Amino acid sequence: MPESAQFETVTAPLRFVVRGSTPVSVPNEPGVLKLHQYEGQHEDRPVRIENVRPRLGEISLDREGFAVVRHATDVDFYDEAQRSGAYEREVEELLKTELGAKKVIVFDHTLRAGDDETRIKRVVREPVQMVHNDYTARSGPQRLRDHVGDVEAEELLKGRMAIVNVWRGNRKPVKSMPLAIADARTIDDADLVSTERRAKDRIGEIQHMVYNPGTRWYYVPDMEPDEAMLIKCYDSDESVSRFAAHSAFADPNTAPDAPFRESIETRTFVFF
């Protein structure tokens, strides 16, 4: 067990939207020092975050909204050809095996780094320190239409479709800026605020979240290179957990000499 797994819980600030505010998310371009910008009112609240590593075998994507699976890979994530070739095939097989999916379409990769030098050198983004979910009930299906076209999307949407984010360290253990993720069962729908995501090439819609003391938070310390977190971003099936709010956070137990986080998140359409 990783050394930091000895800590049962940590308390750290997470950033939430203020109820009644109209938030807007303006992502930066990869490889620049300017960070992600947010319009609207937000606030930092101290949150108790439980180390869920001892209970990973009990965690379910359709119940808590996330899961951690074993998945080794030799892919160099900074190599676009390997990312869009071998790794996408690996992710497709992983989700078919783990979730029983009939079809998987990989549609996006986002690389992140916790330090300025790596972000500039590798042309990647910073960890997102804002409680959010990647899609809404409206933007999930719309993202599929944007990707495959209206005709194919309407055929695919006749069955169950989910958007699953496969998040992991970039072939190194995650020693800093881990993800805090909310137990989806404890999220009040009224606390999820539709938020315009104003990117350079697309106007999308995500969710920011209002602070609620009843929400239960988890994290998985020191994720290893052969571990991947599956995060539910959207699900057309309303009988299961549909949205998993999450945020990077500064773990107070992180060693002063810990390496900066490098990570990749791969977004997928999953069909059942």
Side-chain angles (χ1 to χ4, degrees), residues 7-18:
F7 301 107
E8 292 186 1
T9 64
V10 297
T11 298
L14 299 182
R15 180 157 293 181
F16 298 87
V17 67
V18 175

Side-chain angles (χ1 to χ4, degrees), residues 85 87 136 142 149:
Y87 189 58
T136 67
Q142 184 58 49

Side-chain angles (χ1 to χ4, degrees), residues 60-209:
S60 164
L61 186 67
D62 282 345
R63 189 174 58 245
E64 287 84 1
F66 74 100
V68 175
V69 298
R70 290 285 177 183
H71 181 243
T73 181
D74 293 324
V75 167
D76 178 357
F77 296 123
Y78 290 128
D79 185 314
E80 195 279 333
Q82 292 188 44
R83 223 173 37 237
S84 62
Y87 189 58
E88 291 192 4
R89 292 191 294 272
E90 290 177 8
V91 167
E92 289 171 6
E93 289 306 312
L94 171 69
L95 296 182
K96 288 178 181 178
T97 299
E98 292 290 337
L99 306 181
K102 295 178 181 178
K103 181 182 179 68
V104 176
I105 300 174
V106 176
F107 68 92
D108 179 65
H109 301 281
T110 301
L111 291 146
R112 301 188 187 277
D115 65 304
D116 294 344
E117 181 179 354
T118 303
R119 284 200 295 274
I120 293 172
K121 178 181 178 181
R122 297 295 192 176
V123 194
V124 301
R125 290 190 165 100
E126 80 280 12
V128 175
Q129 295 183 72
M130 176 72 72
V131 177
H132 69 286
N133 178 62
D134 294 357
Y135 293 91
T136 67
R138 187 196 69 84
S139 66
Q142 184 58 49
R143 187 67 182 90
L144 178 64
R145 295 185 187 98
D146 292 341
H147 188 72
V148 303
D150 290 341
V151 174
E152 184 177 353
E154 292 312 310
E155 187 63 28
L156 289 169
L157 289 169
K158 290 178 180 178
R160 179 187 174 194
M161 187 271 279
I163 298 179
V164 176
N165 180 344
V166 181
W167 186 96
R168 68 192 305 156
N170 190 344
R171 299 185 64 188
K172 301 176 183 177
V174 178
K175 296 288 187 180
S176 62
M177 281 292 168
L179 285 187
I181 187 160
D183 185 330
R185 300 169 299 177
T186 67
I187 296 176
D188 188 328
D189 289 346
D191 294 336
L192 294 173
V193 179
S194 295
T195 301
E196 181 179 286
R197 184 181 186 274
R198 199 177 293 161
K200 181 179 180 181
D201 59 344
R202 180 185 300 108
I203 301 297
E205 185 177 65
I206 63 173
Q207 295 170 323
H208 283 185
M209 186 171 162

Side-chain angles (χ1 to χ4, degrees), residues 35-51:
L35 300 181
H36 201 125
Q37 302 296 303
Y38 300 98
E39 298 178 9
Q41 292 180 286
H42 296 84
E43 60 180 356
D44 292 343
R45 291 291 197 106
V47 171
R48 181 179 180 272
I49 309 169
E50 177 185 345
N51 172 11

